[in-house]
Amino acid sequence: LSDPFADDVGDTQPKNYVHIRIQQRNGRKTLTTVQGLSKEYSPKALLKAFKKEYACNGTIIQDPDMGEVIQLQGDHRTKVMDFLTDKDKDKMGKYALQKDHIKIHGF
C-alpha cells in the first residue's frame, strides 16, 4: 500500500522522519521510543547495540501504524540521535542518518 499524498522522490531520501520520543512511565521512570526507521535497518541489531551502549533494557513493539518501534528504558533521546548520526564504523558507519531526518520529541 502506498501513500497517495507522498512525494515520489526515489530512494535518495527517507520518505518519513525517524521520531525519537520520551514517555513517562511511573514516578521517575521513562521510556525512550525510536520509530519510523526504514526497512533496511534491523530493529533487532539496533536494539542490541543500544542496550549494550547505554546499559539499559529494551524491547521491540509491533505498532499497527508505525510498524516496529524500539523501546528503551530511561531517557536516551540525545544519545540515540548521536548514535544514529554517527559515521564511526563501530556505530552506524555508512548507514548513518542525516540529523535533519531525525525529530526528537518530549519535554
Side-chain angles (χ1 to χ4, degrees), residues 24-107:
Q24 195 69 35
R25 270 192 332 130
N26 45 21
R28 293 168 49 194
K29 306 279 186 198
T30 54
L31 283 175
T32 304
T33 61
V34 182
Q35 59 193 49
L37 283 165
S38 60
K39 295 278 178 266
E40 65 201 48
Y41 297 105
S42 159
K44 274 196 179 120
L46 276 174
L47 177 64
K48 189 175 175 186
F50 288 151
K51 284 165 69 169
K52 188 174 177 190
E53 187 85 5
Y54 311 133
C56 67
N57 202 357
T59 184
I60 296 170
I61 301 294
Q62 290 294 337
D63 188 89
D65 302 329
M66 291 304 297
E68 293 183 320
V69 177
I70 300 175
Q71 278 190 347
L72 298 171
Q73 289 180 352
D75 181 4
H76 303 291
R77 289 168 301 171
T78 51
K79 292 189 251 171
V80 167
M81 181 167 134
D82 293 341
F83 188 97
L84 290 174
T85 56
D86 198 332
K87 291 185 171 44
D88 184 20
K89 66 174 168 45
D90 296 333
K91 306 265 175 74
M92 293 295 282
K94 63 179 189 282
Y95 301 108
L97 299 160
Q98 275 86 34
K99 273 196 165 62
D100 53 357
H101 294 320
I102 298 178
K103 288 205 159 98
I104 293 187
H105 308 274
F107 302 156

Side-chain angles (χ1 to χ4, degrees), residues 3-21:
D3 183 5
F5 302 108
D7 295 334
D8 189 20
V9 290
D11 292 332
T12 53
Q13 292 169 300
K15 289 171 182 55
N16 49 1
Y17 290 95
V18 174
H19 297 279
I20 302 174
R21 292 191 169 83

